[in-house]
Amino acid sequence: MNYLFYGKDNGRIQKEITKVIAQYGDDCDSVVYDLNTVKMGEVMGDLMTPPFFHAHKVIIVRHCDFLVSGSLDFDISQFESFLKEPILENTLILTHESEKCDSRKKIVKLIHQTCRVKSFQNLEERDKRSYVAEKCRELGISITQEALSRLTERLNRDTAMIDLQLEKLACYPLEINAEAIDALISREIEDNVFELSEAILKGKFKKAFHTYKDMISLSNDPVYLLAVIASQMRFYYQVKVCLMQGMSEERIASYLKAHPYRVKLTVQIVSNIEIDKIMKILDAVLTCDLDIKSGKREKYLAFEMFMIQCQEEIV
């Protein structure tokens, strides 16, 4: 049996690959090809050759962009032959980090007909807490409910990253409380930028400065922070416009092609904020970026001046 595993959750994809390899026992060889660095044509030779020193061979092909876009750069007829009449001693596993494959492509249709296809998307926000709680039980982690809530909020939706962080917590000898989560689990950069953007928009500049200093201490560049804040402010603006047009959260998420949870949080932030205020902050971000790139101001000073400007002129 050959396989196609696709989706954003690399953790579960890797676990599934490990399960496939394990079913062939110790006398199995595995080979990994990355189509970012090799051509599929180079893979075909190995694919069409039975294993020499093992009873079975698993060939893993990562970043299969031909499943979602672009033209094929290899002998499609040979590949089709393998899929229709596979070499029993060889197992092919195709992977791609996409939410879906292009079902209009002939090769994708054939793969669905001849391979076992599984989709592995990141956990939904509503499922993340139960996943984290279950993993804590499996690992014997003693954790308070408050700490569990804070931990769930801080982790992203990739199960590989969740598992990695929980394995670290499993080494903690005491019951884990909220303070331990703050000390042991770092926030994702996106979460910090979201918190920083919200603080600036709501005029909480003491919190904004503290968050900024924390991010700089972790070697985040002010130019990068400005770019992400600009993106966040544009999203605030888009959501605010949609709200002014009477759209529901569900409709906004569909229209902006955004995650419903992100839209929900943004609606809570911008509901009582004037749209002009968002635009003024966006203008200040762009001015600061121009000052840095033109050499008018040093980047760290420019960013701090930007936050002072927001405090004095915008709020």
Side-chain angles (χ1 to χ4, degrees):
M1 174 62 69
N2 297 309
Y3 302 86
L4 165 60
F5 301 145
Y6 69 95
K8 298 291 187 180
D9 194 332
N10 292 318
R12 285 193 290 158
I13 288 177
Q14 187 55 52
K15 288 177 183 176
E16 199 70 16
I17 291 173
T18 302
K19 284 168 56 178
V20 171
I21 295 174
Q23 73 185 9
Y24 296 110
D26 295 334
D27 198 9
C28 176
D29 185 26
S30 62
V31 186
V32 180
Y33 291 97
D34 188 333
L35 295 190
N36 284 339
T37 57
V38 302
K39 298 290 187 182
M40 187 64 183
E42 298 177 41
V43 180
M44 291 304 303
D46 200 4
L47 195 60
M48 302 303 291
T49 305
F52 289 115
F53 304 109
H54 296 83
H56 202 88
K57 178 171 60 176
V58 177
I59 299 165
I60 303 156
V61 186
R62 300 189 183 279
H63 299 120
C64 297
D65 291 348
F66 65 85
L67 298 171
V68 293
S69 63
S71 58
L72 303 175
D73 61 353
F74 58 94
D75 186 348
I76 182 62
S77 61
Q78 189 182 35
F79 188 51
E80 288 176 342
S81 297
F82 174 83
L83 293 175
K84 292 175 181 177
E85 299 180 12
I87 297 173
L88 298 181
E89 296 83 5
N90 287 354
T91 293
L92 171 67
I93 302 178
L94 303 169
T95 73
H96 196 272
E97 298 175 3
S98 60
E99 293 185 355
K100 60 182 179 179
C101 300
D102 189 346
S103 58
R104 299 167 298 178
K105 286 176 168 280
K106 178 182 176 182
I107 189 62
V108 174
K109 292 178 181 177
L110 181 60
I111 289 171
H112 274 80
Q113 293 167 5
T114 58
C115 301
R116 183 169 296 171
V117 179
K118 290 187 177 183
S119 171
F120 297 93
Q121 304 305 333
N122 282 333
L123 293 169
E124 295 293 336
E125 287 294 334
R126 62 178 177 271
D127 300 325
K128 189 169 65 171
R129 183 186 175 94
S130 59
Y131 180 88
V132 172
E134 179 61 30
K135 291 297 293 185
C136 284
R137 284 191 290 270
E138 288 179 13
L139 295 170
I141 297 172
S142 177
I143 185 169
T144 68
Q145 288 301 308
E146 181 187 5
L148 179 61
S149 297
R150 189 167 300 187
L151 174 62
T152 303
E153 176 187 346
R154 190 156 293 192
L155 295 172
N156 63 26
R157 294 182 292 124
D158 186 329
T159 58
M161 294 304 298
I162 292 175
D163 291 352
L164 184 65
Q165 295 285 15
L166 293 183
E167 287 170 9
K168 179 170 68 175
L169 288 182
C171 299
Y172 192 71
L174 306 174
E175 182 181 54
I176 295 174
N177 55 25
E179 290 73 21
I181 295 298
D182 289 339
L184 297 172
I185 305 296
S186 60
R187 282 185 174 272
E188 295 291 317
I189 177 70
E190 292 83 1
D191 292 338
N192 282 318
V193 172
F194 187 88
E195 186 177 280
L196 178 59
S197 300
E198 180 185 2
I200 292 172
L201 188 64
K202 289 186 174 181
K204 298 178 179 179
F205 289 99
K206 184 176 180 180
K207 180 179 180 180
F209 268 100
H210 284 161
T211 304
Y212 165 69
K213 289 296 185 182
D214 288 343
M215 297 178 78
I216 291 300
S217 69
L218 295 173
S219 301
N220 290 298
D221 190 281
V223 176
Y224 171 72
L225 295 183
L226 277 173
V228 184
I229 290 173
S231 176
Q232 186 63 43
M233 290 297 168
R234 283 193 291 270
F235 189 72
Y236 285 163
Y237 176 83
Q238 291 171 326
V239 171
K240 183 65 178 180
V241 170
C242 290
L243 285 174
M244 293 168 67
Q245 293 176 353
M247 292 188 186
S248 65
E249 289 182 12
E250 183 179 12
R251 173 64 181 138
I252 294 172
S254 174
Y255 179 71
L256 297 179
K257 295 181 174 57
H259 193 282
Y261 186 71
R262 185 188 181 195
V263 171
K264 180 181 180 65
L265 292 178
T266 303
V267 167
Q268 293 172 357
I269 292 169
V270 304
S271 291
N272 297 316
I273 300 291
E274 295 294 328
I275 196 167
D276 288 347
K277 185 175 180 180
I278 302 173
M279 287 301 300
K280 287 179 181 178
I281 296 175
L282 255 178
D283 287 341
V285 170
L286 297 176
T287 300
C288 180
D289 186 62
L290 181 61
D291 286 347
I292 293 172
K293 291 178 179 176
S294 65
K296 185 177 179 179
R297 281 199 176 112
E298 188 272 335
K299 60 185 178 181
Y300 293 98
L301 175 62
F303 195 98
E304 294 181 12
M305 291 295 292
F306 152 70
M307 288 196 291
I308 291 172
Q309 179 188 353
C310 288
Q311 182 176 13
E312 293 180 347
E313 299 178 14
I314 298 173
V315 176

